[in-house]
């Protein structure tokens, strides 16, 4: 069962996701050579609590931090710690909160200073893939239209889409039905209806799509050590395409809301 949210519920989901968006904008601006991932996490948790929100990731299946900070070859679920961010690396920041009983979840990948052209193209392509996914989150479309749009966008640039992790419904739980693959699963899947709320989150690798999880049980890295990027928005299915709940007016690298409409 995929929940259809009322406009009142969607308002609260928007409030939760606006806190997420604000945190992402601040963390993105703090990415500089020499900063550690735990310094970013501390800022995020403080911002969440000041706004009356609960860090949704902390304690989730034992996850130890408020954010996931995934540097370069880390695909997702990088645990903030002593790792120092270096010039030219891709920093993927994933933030989730619980607010008034509803969840917000979004992510952005930003460059630490000047970046080589391949990495830059990976960021641009992943961001574009998310835009296309959001456009596909249109009333009457099928779930598989989302994955097909992402896969097509990435294949064209000869990047690979991660298959081991997927997007998800979001509402009164962080992870609800449906699962949202970022690739063509070969069948149409459920029809999208106005008021469904889903977190779309393409993870795209420069090399192989394969990932492995480190000893800590969380950190997912690319099997070949090549870089990866991750962008995520929580969106409501609408007639004209997905309405972004985690949108921000703050400029974040590569994120221009006029592209997302
Ligand atoms: N955005 C990620 C997801 O939807 C973040 C989860 S991190 C976890 O799965 F620690 F909470 F698992
Ligand atoms: Co998510």
């Amino acid at each position: 069962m995929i929940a259809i949210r009322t406009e009142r519920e969607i308002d609260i989901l928007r409030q939760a996701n606006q806190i997420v968006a604000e945190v992402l904008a601040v963390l993105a601006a703090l990415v500089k050579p020499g900063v550690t991932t735990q310094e970013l996490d501390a800022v995020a948790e403080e911002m969440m609590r000041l706004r009356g929100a609960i860090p949704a990731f902390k304690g989730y299946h034992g996850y130890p931090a408020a954010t996931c900070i995934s540097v370069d070859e880390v695909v997702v679920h990088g645990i903030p710690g002593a790792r120092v961010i270096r010039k030219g690396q891709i920093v993927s920041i994933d933030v989730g909160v619980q607010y008034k009983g509803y969840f917000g979840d979004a992510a952005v990948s930003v460059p630490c200073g000047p970046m080589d052209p391949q990495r830059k193209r990976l960021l641009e392509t992943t961001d574009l893939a998310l835009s296309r996914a959001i456009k596909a989150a249109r009333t009457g479309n099928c779930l598989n239209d989302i994955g097909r749009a992402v896969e097509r966008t990435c294949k064209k640039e000869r990047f690979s889409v991660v298959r081991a992790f997927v997007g998800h419904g979001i509402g009164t739980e962080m992870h609800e039905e449906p699962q949202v693959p970022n690739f063509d699963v070969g069948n149409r899947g459920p029809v999208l209806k106005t008021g469904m709320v889903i977190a779309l989150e393409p993870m795209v690798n420069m090399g192989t799509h394969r990932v492995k999880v480190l000893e800590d049980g969380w950190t997912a890295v690319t099997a070949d050590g090549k870089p990866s990027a991750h962008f995520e928005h929580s969106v409501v299915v609408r007639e004209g395409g997905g309405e972004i709940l985690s949108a921000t007016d703050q400029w974040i690298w590569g994120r221009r809301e006029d592209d997302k409409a």
Side-chain angles (χ1 to χ4, degrees):
M1 250 289 289
I2 305 173
I4 307 285
R5 300 296 171 182
T6 64
E7 291 303 326
R8 189 198 68 85
E9 289 182 291
I10 291 168
D11 271 338
I12 304 172
L13 281 160
R14 192 180 293 103
Q15 291 169 36
N17 276 289
Q18 284 302 298
I19 295 170
V20 168
E22 236 191 302
V23 173
L24 282 176
V26 168
L27 262 54
L30 289 173
V31 168
K32 300 271 153 58
V35 170
T36 64
T37 55
Q38 68 201 0
E39 286 168 340
L40 298 177
D41 188 71
V43 172
E45 181 159 359
E46 176 78 1
M47 285 185 72
M48 292 174 193
R49 298 210 188 271
L50 282 170
R51 287 157 180 75
I54 299 165
F57 299 170
K58 205 165 194 173
Y60 183 86
H61 293 279
Y63 187 77
T67 63
C68 302
I69 314 277
S70 305
V71 179
D72 245 26
E73 81 290 351
V74 182
V75 178
V76 284
H77 303 164
I79 301 173
R83 183 167 180 173
V84 176
I85 298 168
R86 307 287 182 198
K87 192 169 83 178
Q89 290 181 321
I90 292 174
V91 182
S92 302
I93 308 165
D94 194 345
V95 168
V97 302
Q98 186 182 12
Y99 185 69
K100 298 182 181 170
Y102 289 80
F103 285 82
D105 186 10
V108 64
S109 293
V110 297
C112 179
M115 176 156 283
D116 68 73
Q118 272 285 90
R119 279 185 172 76
K120 186 153 178 276
R121 202 165 55 87
L122 180 66
L123 290 187
E124 286 166 352
T125 304
T126 311
D127 192 34
L128 181 64
L130 175 57
S131 295
R132 301 262 168 86
I134 293 165
K135 285 199 181 95
R138 184 159 57 81
T139 308
N141 261 5
C142 299
L143 190 70
N144 198 40
D145 291 326
I146 293 172
R148 281 174 49 209
V150 171
E151 190 172 17
R152 192 182 329 117
T153 306
C154 299
K155 265 198 173 151
K156 200 175 159 216
E157 296 294 326
R158 289 199 253 94
F159 293 136
S160 64
V161 169
V162 172
R163 304 174 75 90
F165 300 100
V166 296
H168 50 94
I170 182 166
T172 51
E173 303 289 340
M174 182 163 67
H175 293 146
E176 296 185 356
E177 282 182 56
Q179 292 195 24
V180 187
N182 294 299
F183 51 90
D184 186 347
V185 297
N187 65 78
R188 298 166 69 77
V191 176
L192 301 176
K193 299 201 176 101
T194 301
M196 289 178 172
V197 180
I198 46 184
L200 304 174
E201 48 179 320
M203 290 144 271
V204 182
N205 295 351
M206 197 177 286
T208 179
H209 75 84
R210 291 209 167 69
V211 304
K212 57 184 187 198
V213 176
L214 300 187
E215 303 279 70
D216 61 23
W218 285 101
T219 313
V221 299
T222 55
D224 57 9
K226 291 185 180 172
S228 181
H230 176 212
F231 286 81
E232 177 178 23
H233 266 312
S234 291
V235 311
V236 188
V237 174
R238 299 285 192 194
E239 291 282 348
E243 177 201 338
I244 305 168
L245 297 176
S246 42
T248 173
D249 289 339
Q250 301 285 315
W251 184 78
I252 301 180
W253 186 91
R255 186 158 278 197
R256 299 173 305 277
E257 291 310 323
D258 54 335
D259 290 349
K260 310 285 190 199

